[in-house]
Amino acid sequence: MSAAAIAEPMLPRPFRVVASRRETGDTVTLELVPLAGSVPDFAPDQFKPGQFNMVYAFGVGEVPVSLSGDPADGGRMVHTVRAVGAVSRAIAAAAPGSVLGVRGPFGSAWPMAEAEGRDLLLVAGGLGLAPLRPAIRQALARGERFGRIAILYGSRGPAEILYREELAAWGQRPGATVALTLDHADAAWEGHVGVVPDLIPGVSFDPRNSVAMLCGPEVMLRFTARALLGAGVPAERIYVSMERNMKCAVGLCGHCQFGGDFICRDGAVLRYDRVAARLAVREV
Amino acid sequence: METLEHLLLEHPFLAGLDAALGRPLAGCARNLRFAAGEFLFREGEPADEFYLIREGRVVLELHVPARSPLVIAAIGDGDIVGLSWLAPPHRWAFDARATAETRAFGLGAGCVRERCEENHHLGYEMMKRILPVTVRRMQAARQQLLDVYGQHPA
């Protein structure tokens, strides 16, 4: 669904929090449903993996939050929110029964159709696993349409790992591999310690016939994209989810301008060869 | 039956090394096996042997009083454990502990340094393999220092 398809894209619509699950010390996953009769065109199965909503804590403010649920689940908007600033703290604290405003879904989507028939690399860092989760769930549910599926995830430490149980379950799926790495660990951690690009040589995939989807802090995106290029993945089959200061979400206000693109309208998912040169420019 | 020399020269770290050039390294090598939890070396000890992992996993860690040891890096199949043997004062900067059953070649550091001094072609080939590992680990350590996954409010 594009902003143009939403009747009044600037109008927050009321959604009730029906579930809140703590993921880590500062991160929760909320499930939202529209207030009865207030959102007649609500169609959660219409959003595409990679899109985002503007979520409004009434009286506090509004922030962009990626959709982290599976469109196929239907009926609910799922958002994973990290309490970082005043607005995200208010949203993360929203208890079941409370009401939040929602505008969206907005933005571009992960290229799921293009990835069919190819090996799929889903590479996330930190909270970047949340925007990739719909793509991961969709790919695993339709595993026969893809080659090998590799999920590579970097986290700060053991306590910050998102969706811990799901990660373990994803790794059990036929044809799927999950590799984790931590920036820092204690002696109880027996897995990998290091940066996400270090995981790439340990994964079996055909670089000439793969699609890579990357989401995380921009430093991690740059280094991971370069490692994938070095492994032979063509730039035109690497996709990154960009983050900028989004306000209107419909390409009008210009807050999220990134060179010739508005991240809210043209992104957040963009092809790497389109943005690679700009990623190297400090001023952009 | 495959000889130690043959197996050593097949290790990914030595891939592409001319056999005649690399043969003297076999005289410095021994086959080792470490159980999970066993230390390969400890901080401050003389760095007199380094390791090429054939299979397994080793972590580099720092012990901190009253805290669980901090794991700095994990090293796996085909990689090298230990770089301090190359630079004076030839003492380990970290602890190295196997976290899984690990098979490795141990190479006597003094012996390898001597072979490299005797034949600078061999020394240059070794440096061409060690320097990329050093650069990769230094870049990774710098990225880890950035704490990119930490909280950074706009």
Side-chain angles (χ1 to χ4, degrees), chain A residues 79-110:
Chain A
H79 288 293
T80 298
V81 185
R82 188 180 195 189
V84 177
V87 181
S88 57
R89 271 199 299 272
I91 294 170
S98 55
V99 175
L100 297 169
V102 173
R103 295 193 291 123
F106 299 117
S108 57
W110 297 112

Side-chain angles (χ1 to χ4, degrees), chain A residues 26 82-83 156 183 185 193 223, chain B residues 69 71 74 143-144 147 149 151:
Chain A
D26 59 7
R82 188 180 195 189
R156 188 177 191 229
D183 272 356
V193 177
F223 280 89
Chain B
V71 178
Q143 290 173 54
Q144 287 166 259
D147 192 24
Y149 307 132
Q151 283 213 8

